[in-house]
Amino acid sequence: MDFKIINSTIGKQRSACLVVGIHEAGKLSASAKHLDKISRSFISKLLKKGDIKGKQGETLLLHTLPNCAADRVLLVGCGKEAALNDQQFRKVISAATSALDKIGVKECVNYLGEIKVSERDLPWKIRQMSETTCDALYRFEAMKSKKNQRPAPALKKMSFHIPGTANRSNCRNAAKTGLAIANGMTITKDLGNLPGNICTPTYLANKAKAIAKGNSKLKVSVLDEKQMTALKMGSFLSVTRGSREPAKLITLNYSGGKKGEPPVVLVGKGVTFDSGGVSIKPSPTMDEMKYDMCGAASVLGVMATINELSLPINLIGVVPACENMPDGSASKPGDVVTSMSGQTIEILNTDAEGRLILCDALTYCERFKPAVVIDIATLTGSCVMALGSHATGILGNDDELVSDLLAAGNSSNDRGWQLPLWEEYDEQLKSNFADMANIGGREGGTITAACFLSRFTRAYNWAHLDIAGTAWHSGAKKGGTGRPVPLLTQYILDRCES
Ligand code: BES
Ligand code: MN
Ligand code: ZN
């Protein structure tokens, strides 16, 4: 997608389609007002007739508006004239994009930057529009035979109108950032949507190499099971025992910052299919456990975004990747394993496998002498119960890091919500036979899972993002969301600025 920033005179602007906002109760945005005037009240007459009411997300396509140089005008309902909130703005942009996609125009000029959004400036809106436009145009057709594939979206170029020229370079940067985030999200969504028989640990390793290819700042290394055995990753390896797909530990190293500057480390859960193992999951919706590598996919997405933006930071991505399957050599409930840290773990439930692979990856991170470590994982069904599908669960051992992540989520419209990481919860992990159990009972499942991880992150500042509810949509809209690429990118952008 090609995004441009222009200062246009709406009546004279040539384009396949102009995109302008209108509000309820016959209120017009500045550009709509201008068009209304030159067309002798064409738009206000339509409003009076009730052809469009201005409700949020409503659209109406006009052909050959009198005295307008453009081929078409797409009116987009923005609701009441009062400022929108972030989510409402995104809804409006998505609706406009779907309409443009249906019309099939190749190019358009977008005036929706005029719409007021509470406490947000024009560059923020431009970035959101770039991101949301790409998101709404996304489709995953790779697994359909040629004849059943929808054609790729026709829309290739969108020009954002801004008033005057003062803000131009900020707006250009915003569009560029939005596009880079959208490109990262596409990688994340594609990997999530690919089925488990294709997106294996080896596939993830190859994808990491492909992202790094030709980039001097980005290096990838992949450890195999033999090398992990040498590192004594007994916990990680216990999960992959029941699978025929070889496990991989993938590390991406982006060096954009000063030499020797402590890196930010992202660790993504990469279970390419989670059957539950011997503690097997029920069949309905088990297919969705192909998404159990979305943490890993978000790490690859963010690495690509940061690389595209060439940000001045040292960033490392670590992806423990394997399958969780039941076979004759799979882990059994009651088995005790020794993690890389030396701590022993009683596996009371083989379906609590994410923490078992993450704990060794987190111990592995100590060698990077990190500034902070953030892990991203589709870790617990409890998180979906607690927060639903709107907020990512955030927990950590460092208040500043957690509040920075919450702030990044708010400003990038990819929000998280903090849950407590108190000692009282940690006690639920007691085991009669090992240093700890891998589950903490029914209560507070997201928290006890994070407590488990916190036992492996004492050496550094750490936060955990539970994306079980936010990484993909279930039901009719089933598909990866690309979250939390915006949140993580924003966190890194903020770090680069401070
Ligand atoms: N990958 C799942 C978590 C999950 C479940 C994410 C449903 C999204 C939707 C994880 O490996 C898992 O199975 N967790 C168990 C933990 C339990 C056994 C303590 C869970 O949440 O049920
Ligand atoms: Mn599981
Ligand atoms: Zn899992």
Side-chain angles (χ1 to χ4, degrees), residues 87-116:
Q87 293 71 40
Q88 291 167 331
F89 185 63
R90 181 157 55 205
K91 193 174 135 194
V92 165
I93 304 305
S94 288
T97 308
S98 302
L100 290 167
D101 195 15
K102 264 197 211 112
I103 306 162
V105 287
K106 293 198 190 84
E107 150 283 323
C108 69
V109 181
N110 188 332
Y111 297 81
L112 294 174
E114 291 172 351
I115 302 304
K116 285 195 196 69

Side-chain angles (χ1 to χ4, degrees), residues 326-348:
D327 83 355
S329 56
S331 289
K332 305 167 290 296
D335 284 2
V336 174
V337 298
T338 304
S339 66
M340 184 181 178
S341 72
Q343 301 177 89
T344 61
I345 303 160
E346 184 185 14
I347 302 174
L348 286 177

